[in-house]
Amino acid sequence: MLDFTLTDIEHKMTKLILNSILITITLCTTTSFSTIKLSQNEPKIIKITPIKEEAFKYFQLQGETATGVKGEIYLNGKKLHEFNKESSRFFNNEAQELIKNGTNEITLKISSIGKDVEKDYFSKCVVFIALHGVNEKIFPSKETQIVRIKWNPEKDQNKEHIKYVFDVKR
């Protein structure tokens, strides 16, 4: 009878150890997948040095997107443009209200890139964004650009999330 009890205790101990190992392996696997998933949702942060660093009175955001790309453009957290696989062009005067003295950010969120979009080249760009700064009310031009962003997808890229950070004087 004493041997039967020891075997029963040994059996329970073995079962407890195996369950502990299984729980440990499950937790490690779940944690590593969660970390990977979180890091893929975090934006890349790119610090930009403005083309011109003097103070400006008026601001305007300009953008162009190529056909086949779907996404959104934000300025300091506010969505200013959405594009849905059609080529698009925009000038947005809301930058005047959103640009602040000091650090600002333009966020580019690309949710899909079509198979026909030419990838991994430098002569053109799939998304072009420019922030214009002037001190008198004139039409924006290449000479008034203070921040210029040209984005192209890499060879096998399907999504992107980039936050461009820059300083502006008002």
Side-chain angles (χ1 to χ4, degrees):
M1 191 148 195
L2 188 57
D3 287 335
F4 178 76
T5 309
L6 284 177
T7 309
D8 189 38
I9 291 173
E10 288 174 353
H11 177 68
K12 286 180 181 178
M13 290 286 283
T14 306
K15 192 173 180 181
L16 182 66
I17 291 170
L18 288 174
N19 282 341
S20 296
I21 292 171
L22 183 61
I23 290 170
T24 304
I25 290 171
T26 304
L27 283 174
C28 291
T29 307
T30 305
T31 304
S32 65
F33 282 127
S34 297
T35 305
I36 291 168
K37 190 173 182 182
L38 284 174
S39 64
Q40 288 174 346
N41 290 331
E42 292 295 317
K44 282 187 216 173
I45 297 175
I46 299 175
K47 177 82 171 140
I48 297 176
T49 302
I51 299 166
K52 299 176 184 176
E53 295 188 7
E54 64 260 24
F56 292 102
K57 193 173 182 180
Y58 304 106
F59 296 92
Q60 186 176 57
L61 193 70
Q62 169 194 2
E64 296 178 26
T65 64
T67 303
V69 182
K70 182 179 179 183
E72 302 165 337
I73 297 171
Y74 295 79
L75 177 59
N76 289 333
K78 180 167 184 185
K79 181 169 46 169
L80 294 185
H81 185 63
E82 188 171 351
F83 43 100
N84 192 5
K85 300 200 177 208
E86 304 276 328
S87 64
S88 67
R89 219 173 212 189
F90 73 93
F91 284 92
N92 194 308
N93 290 324
E94 286 185 71
Q96 179 62 31
E97 309 300 322
L98 296 172
I99 289 291
K100 56 190 180 214
N101 190 35
T103 303
N104 293 272
E105 55 189 47
I106 294 173
T107 304
L108 175 63
K109 290 183 181 179
I110 304 293
S111 56
S112 76
I113 302 168
K115 292 178 183 176
D116 296 336
V117 174
E118 193 173 344
K119 297 180 181 180
D120 207 27
Y121 65 94
F122 297 99
S123 61
K124 301 178 187 174
C125 62
V126 173
V127 177
F128 171 77
I129 303 169
L131 178 67
H132 297 271
V134 295
N135 286 319
E136 50 190 76
K137 292 187 177 184
I138 59 172
F139 289 107
S141 67
K142 190 172 185 174
E143 289 76 33
T144 63
Q145 294 175 358
I146 56 174
V147 170
R148 184 181 310 131
I149 299 166
K150 292 182 175 183
W151 179 81
N152 285 311
E154 294 174 12
K155 225 175 201 174
D156 298 321
Q157 192 171 8
N158 296 320
K159 294 181 179 184
E160 185 63 274
H161 188 183
I162 304 174
K163 192 177 283 189
Y164 298 94
V165 180
F166 55 94
D167 289 326
V168 170
K169 294 178 188 170
R170 286 201 79 145

